[in-house]
Structure formats: structure tokens, C-alpha cells
Amino acid sequence: MIMQDRYTMPAQLRCGRHQLDLSYPRVMGILNVTPDSFSDGGRHNALDEAVRHAESMLAEGAAIIDIGGESTRPGASPVPLQQELDRVLPVVERLVNELDALVSLDTSRGEVMREASARGAGMINDVRSLRWPGALEAAAMSGLPVCVMHMLGEPTDMQRAPHYEVPIEEAVAGFLETRIAECEAAGIRRDRLVLDPGFGFGKRVEHNLRLLNRMQPLTDFGLPILAGMSRKSMIGKVLARPVEERLPGGLALATMAVERGARIVRVHDVGPTVDAVNMTWAVLQEGTDA
Ligand code: 7PJ
């Protein structure tokens, strides 16, 4: 494993026509276009409403809009390919053409990656880390940065008694090390990768808490880290809050993720998170010339 400190990681990520400056923490706004999106109640599935929602997240300071057409909530099954294409492609087109947004595509399918990159998407975000057939090749061909995420199992079964033989942070780092090697072997250069611990994906609440507290094995890769904990059940479990009351808990987690080295936080509530991470960053930067 190459040891680097978190400040030597690539600070600029070329995302198609966009350049993403990661010399400070950035916020990725979640735009679900699945009718069953658990925390939006399916309210953002109409095209116009999706565009309006993205526009407001950009106005609140989102650097990236992450579009997902497949629900990966625990227990969910994959949607048919055509349905995923029909859901996400019109949204990609409008966000790129009308808002000039940096769009990331939350997908595991090579076909969706190809079509979305042809329409101007700037990043690939695959919760399955390019393990589905054809995904590695499609991602490599796109030339776009890829977020590779740790997940144990599949969304259909991942929360059924997840168990690890080694400490969670070692399991996640080992998995990501293998995925980095596979990506590099397929022609995806290391400086195109973003790493994600995969909070909530095949992890118990104790695993999630420990992983956030011990991110160093992940930051040691010297690559940007993306963390997604917004409204997740780890907040619900610790604080006994329903999904619509998880913002304060989520802000605490976003703050902590940045303090532990994350450079992208993936959230539903963009405005409050931008303030939380900018405040955190000001403290972390005190005394430097940056
Ligand atoms: C994540 C994601 C995450 C990345 C989802 C939800 C579930 N992509 N897609 N990281 N979570 N990279 O938002 O609650 O944590 S879907």
C-alpha cells in the first residue's frame, strides 16, 4: 500500500468538461429519480421537478449533482436496464445543457455509463465498484473519474447480518486496494479514482461508527475520499429519529467525515451541509496560508 498523507492527493479532478477542485471539501447533492426513493418519497421523479431540485442544490453550493435511477436502499432489487436509461438520461441531458452542472451518475451498468458520458456526465459513481460485467470497460472508455465504494453483498441482502473477520477499516481498505488494482489494470489511472467507505452498505451501526472514526487506512491511499451518510439508518439507530429528522445527526457526521479526511460529502440537504463543512474546513486550515 502506498503511504501518502491526505494533503498530497490529487487536488484537481478532470470531470469531462468540468474541473473539480478538491483542494477543499465539496458537497455532492443527491438527486434521486427512482419512484421509490426512500427519503424523497418519490417526489422528484418528474423531469421538471428533478431539474428544479438540481437547480436549487446548485444554488445552495453543490459542486456535483449525483443522479441515481436505481434504488440501492436495503432490500431493493435492480431495475431493468431500459427503465434505468429512461429515468436518468433525460435528467442528465437537461442538467448538462440547461444548468451546465457537473453530473455524476450513480449506476452499476456499463450501458448507462456509456450513454450518460455521451450526454455530458462528468463522473461515474458505482456502489458496486465496476464489478458488474462490462462496467470496468465502459468506465475506462469514458475517460471520467470513478467513485469506487465498498459494499459487502448486494442491496437485496447486504443488511442481513453483515459480519467481518477483520476490523472493518481493514476489510474496507483491503477491498478498495483490490478495486484500485483492477481499475488500473483496465486502464483507469489512479488519479481518476475517488474512494468511498460505503457507509450503510453491508454494515451494522457499530461498523459504520468505527469506520468513520478510523478512516486513516483509507486516506493512506492518497486518493480523494467521498462519504455518504445523509439520512441513513445509522443516524436513525443512534438518535432514534425518523428519516425526516436526521439532519442534525447528518451534519455532525459530515463535519466529522471532513475532519477525518473526506473531500466530497454526498447529501440530500445541501445548504446546511455546505455551511457545516466550510466551517469545519476553516478550523482545519487555521494557521496555514491556504
Ligand atoms: C451512497 C451512494 C454512498 C456513494 C447511495 C442513500 C443510498 N454512492 N449511493 N456512496 N449511497 N458513492 O443515499 O442512502 O454512500 S444510495
Side-chain angles (χ1 to χ4, degrees):
M1 191 181 297
I2 298 169
M3 295 301 224
Q4 282 173 3
D5 83 74
R6 69 178 96 152
Y7 300 109
T8 62
M9 62 158 211
Q12 302 290 326
L13 208 53
R14 161 91 4 228
C15 303
R17 294 178 304 114
H18 290 267
Q19 179 95 347
L20 181 64
D21 182 359
L22 292 178
S23 62
Y24 62 103
R26 308 305 296 268
V27 173
M28 170 186 268
I30 301 171
L31 186 65
N32 285 317
V33 291
T34 56
D36 60 345
S37 303
F38 76 104
S39 45
D40 290 321
R43 282 179 288 114
H44 293 293
N45 54 359
L47 185 53
D48 285 336
E49 206 171 329
V51 175
R52 273 197 297 274
H53 185 202
E55 199 167 19
S56 76
M57 290 194 287
L58 291 168
E60 288 175 336
I64 313 161
I65 303 294
D66 189 46
I67 304 179
E70 181 210 346
S71 175
T72 47
R73 60 185 282 195
S77 315
V79 300
L81 169 65
Q82 194 57 49
Q83 199 175 331
E84 191 182 344
L85 288 167
D86 292 346
R87 281 181 190 173
V88 302
L89 296 181
V91 185
V92 173
E93 275 187 351
R94 288 195 53 187
L95 299 198
V96 167
N97 296 329
E98 293 172 28
L99 307 178
D100 192 30
L102 167 44
V103 166
S104 124
L105 226 288
D106 197 338
T107 187
S108 296
R109 291 193 164 109
E111 191 72 20
V112 180
M113 295 172 193
R114 255 191 300 279
E115 296 296 325
S117 68
R119 286 165 177 78
M123 189 185 293
I124 293 165
N125 173 27
D126 183 5
V127 299
R128 297 183 183 82
S129 288
L130 309 178
R131 287 178 294 164
W132 272 10
L136 200 53
E137 296 74 12
M141 282 293 294
S142 75
L144 299 177
V146 183
C147 178
V148 292
M149 193 194 83
H150 174 270
M151 169 162 58
L152 180 69
E154 272 286 314
T156 41
D157 64 7
M158 66 187 180
Q159 291 308 102
R160 257 181 242 149
H163 174 77
Y164 293 87
E165 296 294 337
V166 298
I168 183 75
E169 67 280 10
E170 287 173 29
V172 170
F175 172 93
L176 292 175
E177 190 170 27
T178 305
R179 298 316 302 147
I180 294 168
E182 289 250 355
C183 286
E184 288 194 281
I188 303 174
R189 277 174 42 173
R190 211 183 149 83
D191 61 9
R192 268 170 62 195
L193 297 176
V194 173
L195 305 179
D196 187 333
F199 292 104
F201 287 85
K203 296 169 187 79
R204 297 174 188 275
V205 66
E206 315 79 87
H207 294 136
N208 291 312
L209 299 176
R210 181 175 167 122
L211 194 51
L212 177 59
N213 200 27
R214 304 180 197 216
M215 291 234 289
Q216 173 131 30
L218 276 57
T219 54
D220 281 347
F221 286 107
L223 297 174
I225 307 282
L226 185 157
M229 293 174 280
S230 181
R231 301 184 187 173
K232 284 187 180 174
S233 71
M234 62 189 287
I235 305 171
K237 293 208 172 101
V238 171
L239 302 178
R241 298 287 182 206
V243 74
E244 64 279 8
E245 293 173 17
R246 293 180 186 168
L247 177 57
L251 293 176
L253 296 175
T255 298
M256 184 114 185
V258 166
E259 197 275 331
R260 293 292 198 256
R263 281 298 168 85
I264 304 175
V265 290
R266 180 183 177 278
V267 298
H268 301 87
D269 304 285
V270 171
T273 307
V274 166
D275 274 5
V277 308
N278 286 348
M279 197 67 237
T280 306
W281 189 244
V283 178
L284 292 173
Q285 291 304 99
E286 67 82 21
T288 71
D289 295 332

